[in-house]
Amino acid sequence: MSRVLPHFAVRAARNPNARAEAAYGPDLQAILSEAGYQAARDEISAWPGYAPTPLIGLPGLASAAGIGQLWYKDEGGRFGLGSFKALGGAYAVGRLLLREVESRSGRRTTTTELRAGKHEDIAQKVTVCTATDGNHGRSVAWGAQLFGCNCIIYIPGTVSEGRKAAMERFGAEVRRVDGNYDDSVRQIAEESERNGWFLVSDTSHPGYTEIPCDVMHGYTVMAGETIQQFPSDATPTHVFIQGGVGGLAAAVCARFWQSYGEHRPRLVVVEPDKAACFYESARAGSPVVVTGDLDTVMGGLAAGEVSPVAWDLLWAGADSFLTVPDETAAALMRLLAKGVDRDPPIVAGESAVAGLAGLVGALDDPTLAEDLGLGPGSRALVFGSEGATDPELYQEIVGRPAEEIKAA
Ligand SMILES: Cc1ncc(COP(=O)(O)O)c(C=O)c1O
């Protein structure tokens, strides 16, 4: 492989349970359905400021990596929030408020009416809450502001001040708690119960799946856009997608499976090696918890526990699980900012590049590349799941401000 690209070792676990030829069955429909995707698409595309994010071809990087095509879905501009997460938490807040208003008033309503303040007497009595590494909380806070309810957010100590401030700008009350991300998830789950707040989590637990599935249905809109944007003769052969609790990867897996059936691309889930809960679970054959402070620079991926509904989907539909070391993030952020050959410069945040890192690492390992069927004919798709969601950190890592790169 070309010298333009960084070299590093990936770990890989093939999914022994993958059902390549299977249809997208009722067990999976019960998690993420075609109807759920259509409802999310109709709703989200009606929000002010909606526009599909760009799907960018990177022929320079593809040729340096030794594959036929490489496509990058750039979520940096999503609703001005900087990440794909804008689609999920806010969508779930809107759905939750619809249910609350309808059950308290006995009348049907719409999110357009909620946005116009028609039921503000009820909405103002509702408090939504969540734990977050940053981007999900930003979406929930924005959704609460959009639909007119209150919002409380818990964050672990590792979340930067810049990310905290971004949530506060949408009117949320943000509290730092001791421990790692998974500890903040547990704490908010207990306190929401005690205080009558509504938990809008992006991760499920037994008995709590409706809202995380709403969140994931929001994400399927991104996957649906991507499928429509692809030239019809160039559908992807491989998707490399990063995993935190797995909601993003599961949504992408579901949408591609529903759209392409057995001709869907191979799906590879990529995690930082410091927070590799899917990789470890795949090796064990069922969900296992990864402990420690999960202190990866890829903050959005710092999860030690899989979301069970995402696990069920990916255990059926993902082909492989990879892990990448932390230093790959900075190397690939800089590479994308510069652009290879005549590729356009791209602003990618720390968690945006893990999928690409998995692809680059796999191509650097001939046995793994062969196992994944990667070669000169491959058309790979990666999701740049965030832009510079923490501009100061971005500048520190890349050496230039995101604004300068965008203007180039
Ligand atoms: C930018 C970014 N990418 C990817 C992810 C991973 O998403 P999930 O936790 O649904 O797997 C996150 C999660 O916060 C994120 O913020």
Side-chain angles (χ1 to χ4, degrees):
M1 194 166 57
S2 129
R3 279 211 238 120
V4 176
L5 298 176
H7 297 276
F8 52 88
V10 299
R11 291 181 299 165
R14 199 193 251 197
N15 182 359
N17 191 55
R19 307 186 232 148
E21 277 92 52
Y24 190 83
D27 53 334
L28 305 178
Q29 288 283 356
I31 302 171
L32 293 178
S33 65
E34 177 75 35
Y37 158 68
Q38 283 172 13
R41 187 200 52 198
D42 293 350
E43 166 68 23
I44 290 171
S45 61
W47 292 352
Y50 172 77
T53 53
L55 179 68
I56 302 169
L58 297 177
L61 188 44
S63 129
I67 55 172
Q69 295 181 19
L70 175 57
W71 297 87
Y72 184 98
K73 174 76 167 162
D74 185 359
E75 288 295 300
R78 184 68 79 180
F79 282 117
L81 268 68
S83 86
F84 78 99
K85 288 254 155 187
L87 298 166
Y91 178 63
V93 169
R95 303 252 308 160
L96 183 147
L97 268 179
L98 282 182
R99 290 193 289 271
E100 272 312 295
V101 167
E102 287 175 4
S103 87
R104 293 187 198 192
S105 70
R107 270 184 287 133
R108 305 262 319 150
T109 185
T110 61
T111 51
T112 313
E113 287 186 342
L114 287 179
R115 277 195 274 117
K118 180 134 190 254
H119 299 282
E120 61 183 10
D121 50 329
I122 298 176
Q124 282 170 0
K125 291 194 193 101
V126 171
T127 297
V128 293
C129 66
T130 192
T132 186
D133 284 323
N135 289 330
H136 173 65
R138 201 177 294 194
S139 182
V140 171
W142 177 61
Q145 190 177 67
L146 195 63
F147 301 116
C149 65
N150 310 297
C151 182
I152 295 181
I153 309 263
Y154 281 21
I155 53 172
T158 44
V159 172
S160 72
E161 274 303 308
R163 294 209 155 100
K164 178 170 180 274
M167 290 179 265
E168 287 167 340
R169 277 199 289 279
F170 292 118
E173 183 186 327
V174 185
R175 300 181 190 167
R176 271 190 199 280
V177 299
D178 290 337
N180 67 18
Y181 169 74
D182 297 318
D183 297 319
S184 61
V185 169
R186 268 187 289 274
Q187 209 164 318
I188 196 83
E190 283 162 25
E191 294 190 17
S192 61
E193 192 126 322
R194 209 173 316 130
N195 293 306
W197 305 334
F198 292 84
L199 181 63
V200 180
S201 178
D202 56 356
T203 191
S204 59
H205 52 257
Y208 178 83
T209 55
E210 184 178 15
I211 287 177
C213 287
D214 283 345
V215 170
M216 292 194 291
H217 273 126
Y219 303 159
T220 62
V221 173
M222 175 197 69
E225 282 173 9
T226 313
I227 289 168
Q228 292 211 314
Q229 287 166 319
F230 255 97
S232 55
D233 58 345
T235 52
T237 57
H238 294 79
V239 175
F240 281 74
I241 181 80
Q242 46 274 48
V245 300
L248 169 65
V252 168
C253 178
R255 192 65 215 131
F256 275 84
W257 200 339
Q258 289 162 2
S259 300
Y260 292 118
E262 64 185 275
H263 302 296
R264 68 189 187 280
R266 289 197 198 202
L267 187 110
V268 181
V269 178
V270 187
E271 297 168 289
D273 53 13
K274 291 180 178 172
C277 53
F278 275 92
Y279 169 81
E280 295 297 349
S281 300
R283 279 162 47 103
S286 63
V288 295
V289 177
V290 173
T291 50
D293 64 6
L294 311 171
D295 192 14
T296 163
V297 67
M298 299 173 244
L301 312 181
E305 293 180 38
V306 303
S307 170
V309 287
W311 166 261
D312 287 347
L313 229 147
L314 293 169
W315 188 230
D319 291 88
S320 278
F321 299 90
L322 306 190
T323 77
V324 293
D326 253 32
E327 62 268 21
T328 56
L332 290 170
M333 286 164 73
R334 286 190 211 111
L335 191 79
L336 286 174
K338 211 159 145 244
V340 177
D341 289 340
R342 264 169 290 173
D343 288 351
I346 289 175
V347 173
E350 310 84 76
S351 298
V353 293
L356 177 61
L359 171 67
V360 169
L363 284 162
D364 209 15
D365 175 340
T367 313
L368 180 56
E370 192 184 336
D371 190 47
L372 293 172
L374 280 169
S378 301
R379 296 181 295 269
L381 165 66
V382 296
F383 287 86
S385 51
E386 67 177 350
T389 48
D390 185 341
E392 275 175 30
L393 187 57
Y394 182 85
Q395 184 166 352
E396 204 177 292
I397 294 174
V398 173
R400 286 159 66 205
E403 290 313 319
E404 189 183 303
I405 292 157
K406 276 189 216 155

